[in-house]
């Protein structure tokens, strides 16, 4: 239940409650995306919200929850007579699982009946079930992009369109969309992130008393759920009543031109892309005014709306964390409304509701620091944001730390502590890199790197289905059935089909791969300018992996051994953070790095056998410690690989060239990586 949770125990839950309530008041707010670490009650509060929504009247027997007072003229179960007797039921809470198919989301057509009988036999999906209720997507960042696109299109239009082989079905789909995600498991794509109206960042409190209160209430619920619910019934009823009253007040709320100009000024000052931010902020400000019982939008309403609608729209780099400078927001609002920016009344609104918990709103941008921030490094060393690892501008010297000799750094004392300390080079701005792909055709998760047989892509042929037909190839089916029509006794319209006539489409698209970076961080790579170039190259490849929907992992080797700096994950941001704080120094245990990479790939094949790996080895080819390189390379036989040759200078030993030959890998010189990316980009533009 939404009022039972001690909101102070989780930083940002007051904002989350406000965002959910405002969407319940006015779905025009555009849905809520909840970002936060695991175990912060994201799912609990979302599920609790559904119980607070007003009950709805539906046409009896309608699978699309039509309102009897104003039924959908295009309802597939219609037509319905306006004003007919309705059935009252609670608003639906529908959960979309991460592994759902497109048919499960939007509905499916019985194509066989459409071909043989000429009728539309439509089975509605989850979008129809969620109409006039809540559609909840847990781990929305792990949902396939095409499903997120369909979901957000339906949420924006209020209508679901299903197109299957020249048969079209449309039905209303207006719902409150809520998605939750843990950023550690990967970010949502920027173009999809922008489609969520509001976003909230939550994280657990470190206050023992507040954490204890959460446990105390959970134990009380487990001991006697009925008594616990009864204890809070009055507050829950009051909150539901206030939501219903605010929803009825929304059409009468006025947005003055002064407040509209204020919204436009704030959005322009924060340099958000497009106009969706302005529209969402305006709709949310209207909902907030209605929630507060006002008939006119005020500066307070604009501030509350901007804090929820702008943070996720300010990202300029895929590795940036969402956030909002609230001091700048207050200054802009004061400048456009004539208020004092230091006015204590300019703070966040009271969202407690009747009988609800009190709490000071916190910034929606109070999330974890962006990669390269003070806490971004796994080894506690300085990173791209610190003085030792200050980011370098391309082609500008003197922006990184002092250089060391380009050679192996001798170990002193042999102690692991001294060797682990290392030094940290800066990172310059990433650049475009060429496409590195796995040869052949795979069957992995949808992405943008290597060729693959996927449910989405261009049709390349047909085949007999192994089970239920999901994507009928009409032409191939007709051709298979046509020679048998006379023998089967066809006399009228429509084909006489048998099960063995059915053919499904074979499609070829692109898949995402596991890109495992194996980076030489030894003393031979430790020269400041050189290691900055190496880190920048790997960061550029990480950015490319992000755009191509890959999983990434990071193995580094230096001193006596190799380490898994980042286990395979969908969070490319985590890889960037580890890379920025990567220390260098010591000997070069190349064999250990290859062996550790082989072990990581072996384990990952067991976990995700359909995802093909791509090994990206960044080294100059030297091996001054730790084992037989040939034997370690043999462990990677059959793995698609790329060797980025970091050797530089007028005299080159060609060690990386020989290593690439052992691995049967593509060789890419480090100093030409950016140039190759430019050539590929220019070629694509010309084509």
């Amino acid at each position: 239940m939404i009022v039972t949770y001690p909101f102070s125990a989780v930083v940002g839950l007051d904002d989350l409650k406000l965002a959910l309530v405002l969407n319940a008041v006015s779905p025009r707010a555009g849905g809520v995306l909840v970002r936060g670490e695991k175990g912060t009650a994201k799912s609990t509060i979302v599920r609790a919200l559904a119980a607070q929504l007003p009950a709805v009247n539906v046409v009896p027997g309608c699978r699309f929850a039509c309102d009897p007072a104003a039924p959908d003229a295009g309802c597939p179960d219609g037509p319905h007579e306006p004003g007919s007797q309705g059935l009252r039921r609670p608003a639906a809470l529908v959960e979309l699982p991460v592994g759902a198919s497109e048919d499960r989301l939007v509905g499916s057509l019985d194509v066989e009946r459409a071909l043989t009988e000429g009728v539309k036999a439509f089975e509605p999906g989850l979008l129809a079930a969620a109409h006039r209720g809540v559609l909840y997507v847990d781990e929305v960042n792990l949902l396939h992009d095409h499903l997120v696109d369909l979901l957000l299109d339906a949420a924006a239009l209020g209508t679901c369109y299903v197109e299957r082989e020249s048969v079209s079905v449309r039905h209303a789909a207006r719902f409150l969309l809520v998605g939750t995600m843990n950023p550690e498991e990967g970010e949502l794509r920027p173009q999809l992130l922008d489609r969520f109206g509001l976003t909230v960042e939550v994280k657990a409190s470190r206050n023992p008393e507040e954490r204890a209160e959460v446990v105390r209430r959970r134990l009380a619920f487990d001991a006697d759920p009925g008594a616990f619910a009864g204890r809070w019934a009055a507050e829950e009823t009051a909150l539901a009543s206030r939501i219903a009253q605010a929803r009825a007040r929304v059409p009468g709320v006025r947005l003055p031109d002064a407040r509209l100009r204020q919204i436009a000024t704030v959005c322009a000052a924060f340099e958000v892309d497009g106009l969706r931010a302005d529209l969402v902020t305006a709709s949310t400000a209207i909902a907030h005014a209605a929630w507060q019982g006002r008939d006119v939008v005020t500066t307070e309403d604009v501030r509350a709306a901007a804090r929820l609608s702008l943070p996720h729209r300010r990202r300029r780099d895929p590795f940036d964390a969402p956030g909002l400078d609230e001091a700048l927001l207050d200054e802009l609002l004061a400048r456009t409304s004539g208020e004092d920016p230091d006015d204590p009344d300019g703070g966040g609104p009271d969202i407690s509701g009747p009988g609800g918990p009190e709490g000071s709103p916190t910034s929606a941008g109070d999330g974890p620091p962006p990669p390269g921030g003070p806490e971004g490094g796994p080894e506690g060393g300085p990173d791209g944001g610190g003085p030792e690892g200050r980011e370098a501008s391309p082609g500008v010297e003197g922006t990184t730390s002092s250089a060391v000799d380009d050679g192996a750094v001798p170990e002193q004392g042999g102690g692991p502590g001294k060797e682990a300390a290392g030094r940290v080079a800066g990172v310059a701005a990433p650049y475009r890199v060429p496409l590195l792909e796995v040869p052949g055709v795979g069957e992995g998760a949808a992405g943008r790197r290597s060729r693959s047989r996927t449910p989405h892509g261009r049709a390349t042929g047909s085949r007999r289905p192994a089970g239920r037909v999901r994507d009928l190839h009409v032409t191939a089916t007709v051709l298979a059935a046509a020679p048998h029509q006379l023998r089967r006794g066809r006399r009228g319209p429509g084909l006489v089909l048998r099960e063995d006539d059915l053919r499904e489409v074979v499609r070829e698209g692109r898949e995402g791969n596991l890109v495992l970076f194996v980076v030489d961080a030894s003393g031979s790579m430790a020269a400041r300018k050189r290691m900055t170039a190496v880190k920048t190259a790997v960061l550029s490849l990480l950015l490319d992996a992000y755009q191509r929907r890959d999983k990434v992992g990071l193995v580094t080797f230096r001193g006596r051994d190799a380490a898994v700096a980042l286990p395979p994950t969908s969070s490319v941001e985590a890889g960037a953070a580890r890379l920025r704080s990567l220390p260098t120094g010591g000997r070069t245990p190349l064999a250990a790095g290859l062996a550790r990479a082989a072990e990581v790939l072996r384990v990952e094949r067991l976990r995700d056998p359909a995802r093909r790996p791509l090994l990206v080895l960044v080294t100059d080819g030297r091996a001054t410690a730790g084992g037989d390189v040939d034997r370690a390379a043999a462990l990677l036989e059959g793995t698609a690989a790329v060797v980025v040759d970091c050797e530089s200078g007028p005299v080159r030993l060609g060690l990386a060239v020989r290593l690439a030959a052992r691995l049967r890998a593509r060789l890419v010189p480090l100093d030409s990586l950016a140039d190759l990316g430019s050539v590929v980009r220019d070629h694509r533009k010309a084509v």
Side-chain angles (χ1 to χ4, degrees), residues 475-547:
T475 304
T477 299
V478 171
L479 290 175
H484 310 290
Q485 296 304 297
L486 291 177
R487 181 167 52 83
R488 293 174 182 174
R490 175 188 171 189
R491 294 293 182 268
L495 292 174
V496 179
L497 289 179
R498 301 281 172 82
E499 186 176 354
D500 58 355
D501 295 331
L502 299 179
R503 300 291 186 272
E504 65 181 5
V505 179
V506 175
R507 297 186 181 277
E508 184 175 303
R510 291 277 170 176
E511 66 178 357
N513 299 109
L514 166 61
V515 182
L516 182 62
F517 294 95
V518 183
V519 180
D520 183 350
S522 64
S524 64
M525 306 285 287
R528 284 304 185 211
K529 187 176 179 181
R530 187 179 186 192
M531 197 59 197
T532 293
V534 169
K535 283 190 173 185
T536 303
V538 178
L539 186 67
S540 303
L541 291 165
L542 274 171
L543 178 59
D544 182 67
Y546 172 90
Q547 295 168 340

Side-chain angles (χ1 to χ4, degrees), residues 9 129 183 199 211 261 352 431 476 525:
T199 188
R211 298 170 72 97
R261 286 194 298 270
S352 57
Y431 47 78
M525 306 285 287

Side-chain angles (χ1 to χ4, degrees), residues 57-95:
N57 286 326
V58 299
V59 174
C62 178
R63 298 172 296 169
F64 302 87
C66 280
D67 185 353
D72 179 14
C75 176
D77 283 355
H80 305 301
E81 288 296 329
S84 61
Q85 185 66 31
L87 175 66
R88 195 163 182 81
R89 65 163 175 79
L93 171 64
V94 177
E95 297 191 36

